[in-house]
Amino acid sequence: MKHTVPDFKELFKQASEIAAQVPEAMQAAAFNRAIDLLTGNTPTVLATRESSRSQNSPTKASPTTQGATAAIDVDVLLMELDSTLHPGVGATSKILDRALMILQIAHTEHGVDGLTPPQIARILTDKFRINTKNSAVSMALGGATKLVNRVPQGNGFLYRIMAAGVDYVAHLAGETTPGRPAAAIRAKKRRATGQSNKDSSPTNPSASDGTGVTVHTETREGRRSKIAGEKPGPKSAIRTLLSEGYFAKPRTGQEVQDFLNRKRGMDIGTAQLRLAMLRLVRDKELDRDENAQGQYEYKHSGS
C-alpha cells in the first residue's frame, strides 16, 4: 500500500506523540518503533535483534558488537515493559530482590533470557525511577550463584534467573518459602502433627476426657485448614483478619504489622506485607485511602 504525503505527515505526528511519552534518551528508538507499528512493517529494532540471533557465523562477535546488540534489546524492553503491573519491584529495598524480579519479568513476559548488570540498573533507574548503580547490581547477583546462572559476555557477565531464583521471587510476594514449594511446606506440617489431608477434619482426632468417654477435639492444624485453604503467608494472614472483621475500620500498614506481630506471633517484613495488601486492593478485597498524614489506610471493601 502506497502512502501519500498527507498520510506520512499524519504518521509522523502520531509517532512523535508516542515518542514523547518516554525518556528523552529513548525517544529516537521509540519514534522508529512507532513508525514501524503504524505502517504495519516489521519493527526495525526487533528485526535487527532476530537477524543477529539467526546468523551462523564461525567468527565470534566482538565485545563492541555484543554491547550494541544488548543496548538495542534493553531499548525494546524499556518500551514494552509496564512498571505499573509490577509494584513489587518498588516494594522491596534490596538490590538483589529487585534485580531478580527484573530478570524474571524480562524472561517470562518479554522473552528476554538474561540481562547484564548495566541493563538491569538502567531498567530500574529509567522505568521504575529507582536510582541504581551498575556495581551494586553486579555485586548482588555475583553473590547469588544459587539463584542465577552467570554467563561471560564481553568484559562482564550476563545473568539468567534459575528455578531457585523463581522460587525466591515467589517468596517475596508471600506465596511460598525460598527453594521450597508451598505443597512441600504443608506436607511437612502434616507429618509433624501425624495427620493426613483427611485427618484435618475436627471429628477425626479424638481423646478421652478421663471418664472413658471419647471426646472429639480439633487440632490447631485442623482449624487452620478451615480458613479457605490459603497458603501460609502475608496474604493468608490478612484474609484471616478480613474474615474476623479487623478491617471494619481503616487500618494503616504499620497497625496491621504490629497487630500480627503482637497478637498472632507473625513477624512479617514491611515490604512483604505492603505487597500482599496491594494485591488484595487490586483484587477488590480491600479498599485504601490516604489519611491526613499521607499514609494509606486499608479497610474491608464491603464496609
Side-chain angles (χ1 to χ4, degrees), residues 92-129:
T92 179
S93 59
K94 292 184 179 180
I95 297 294
L96 175 61
D97 297 351
R98 290 171 176 168
L100 289 171
M101 288 181 184
I102 295 301
L103 286 174
Q104 185 180 20
I105 293 167
H107 185 212
T108 60
E109 299 186 16
H110 301 277
V112 178
D113 188 13
L115 294 168
T116 64
Q119 290 173 330
I120 296 171
R122 183 180 170 194
I123 291 170
L124 288 170
T125 300
D126 292 352
K127 177 60 70 170
F128 290 88
R129 294 295 187 262

Side-chain angles (χ1 to χ4, degrees), residues 84-88 277-286:
T84 62
L85 299 178
H86 308 285
M277 295 178 75
L278 181 58
R279 288 177 182 271
L280 289 172
V281 169
R282 295 175 67 178
D283 291 341
K284 298 182 180 180
E285 295 181 49
L286 282 176

Side-chain angles (χ1 to χ4, degrees), residues 18-27 30 33 73-90 98 101-103 105-106 109-110 115 118-132:
I18 294 172
Q21 304 302 314
V22 301
E24 185 176 354
M26 297 168 52
Q27 287 182 0
R33 178 69 186 280
D73 284 347
V74 80
D75 280 339
V76 174
L77 186 56
L78 280 166
M79 285 189 289
E80 295 177 347
L81 196 154
D82 185 352
S83 60
T84 62
L85 299 178
H86 308 285
V89 175
R98 290 171 176 168
M101 288 181 184
I102 295 301
L103 286 174
I105 293 167
E109 299 186 16
H110 301 277
L115 294 168
Q119 290 173 330
I120 296 171
R122 183 180 170 194
I123 291 170
L124 288 170
T125 300
D126 292 352
K127 177 60 70 170
F128 290 88
R129 294 295 187 262
I130 302 173
N131 192 25
T132 308

